[in-house]
């Protein structure tokens, strides 16, 4: 059985957006596309309703481009434990109110026992300073946290084996 990987909204956004002129963003876009093209087959990629809703916002043409990627992915259930864990992440980590959806992404992955959470959101999700609190909050509520990483980190992990 393949390991599961939750694709947070930034991953879908980077796959669908036009190439950025910002070199850092362009590099992240290319790494995301490399992961999608060459490593995705090693995983079972999943998303939640939170990703679908976020990807539907904004420019209708861009939203349709994001939908092309989303249509290839499995949709997770959102069991009752998702909201209490997200609330705990917001209060215990603590994550700011503007990071409410970020807490729900982490929670949806943890409650569904997803092994990896792939993101470019390094402010509130893939943040080394927050990782211990995220992990301990998930475990305190009875869930194993996903390994939170960027596409670059997950590709480098795969090159080692």
């Amino acid at each position: 059985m393949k390991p599961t990987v939750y694709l947070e909204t930034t991953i879908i956004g980077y796959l669908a957006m036009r190439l950025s002129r910002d070199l850092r963003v362009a590099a992240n876009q290319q790494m995301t596309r490399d992961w999608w093209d060459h490593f995705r087959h090693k995983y079972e990629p999943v998303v939640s309703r939170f990703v679908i809703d976020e990807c539907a916002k904004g420019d209708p043409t861009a939203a349709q481009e994001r939908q092309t990627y989303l249509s290839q992915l499995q949709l997770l259930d959102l069991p009752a434990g998702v909201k209490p864990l997200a609330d705990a992440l917001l209060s215990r980590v603590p994550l700011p109110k503007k990071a409410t959806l970020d807490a729900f992404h982490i929670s949806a992955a943890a409650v569904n026992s997803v092994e990896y959470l792939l993101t470019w959101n390094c402010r509130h999700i893939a943040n080394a300073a927050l990782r211990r609190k995220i992990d301990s909050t998930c475990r305190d509520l009875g869930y194993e946290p996903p390994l939170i990483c960027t596409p670059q980190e997950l590709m480098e992990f795969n090159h080692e084996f």
Side-chain angles (χ1 to χ4, degrees):
M1 187 174 203
K2 295 178 183 179
T4 50
V5 59
Y6 181 99
L7 304 183
E8 185 265 339
T9 310
T10 57
I11 300 301
I12 304 303
Y14 274 40
L15 285 169
M17 72 191 289
R18 288 167 186 59
L19 190 60
S20 175
R21 290 183 183 200
D22 179 301
L23 292 178
R24 183 182 54 81
V25 173
N28 290 351
Q29 286 176 284
Q30 187 58 53
M31 281 186 268
T32 304
R33 289 180 179 137
D34 287 347
W35 181 86
W36 182 266
D37 293 339
H38 304 293
F39 294 92
R40 171 180 51 128
H41 69 279
K42 296 181 179 190
Y43 301 91
E44 183 64 40
V46 298
V47 293
S48 70
R49 172 56 55 196
F50 306 117
V51 175
I52 291 174
D53 291 348
E54 280 186 288
C55 284
K57 294 179 181 176
D59 177 71
T61 302
Q64 184 58 42
E65 290 173 22
R66 292 187 291 269
Q67 180 57 41
T68 301
Y69 290 97
L70 291 169
S71 67
Q72 302 174 52
L73 304 172
Q74 178 185 334
L75 181 64
L76 292 175
D77 290 329
L78 295 175
V82 172
K83 184 171 181 351
L85 178 54
D87 290 343
L89 289 165
L90 287 163
S91 64
R92 292 183 188 182
V93 170
L95 293 173
K97 185 163 178 61
K98 68 181 179 180
T100 297
L101 274 176
D102 300 333
F104 275 93
H105 289 303
I106 297 165
S107 181
V111 170
N112 281 284
S113 301
V114 175
E115 293 159 87
Y116 298 94
L117 189 160
L118 204 60
T119 184
W120 283 112
N121 179 338
C122 296
R123 180 168 300 223
H124 301 128
I125 300 176
N127 182 320
L130 302 177
R131 183 88 33 96
R132 276 194 209 131
K133 289 182 180 181
I134 290 170
D135 290 354
S136 66
T137 300
C138 289
R139 288 186 180 114
D140 287 349
L141 273 74
Y143 303 104
E144 186 60 28
L147 179 61
I148 298 170
C149 55
T150 65
Q152 179 182 6
E153 292 170 316
L154 200 53
M155 285 190 297
E156 288 174 0
F157 172 77
N158 276 285
H159 280 300
E160 293 177 10
F161 297 98

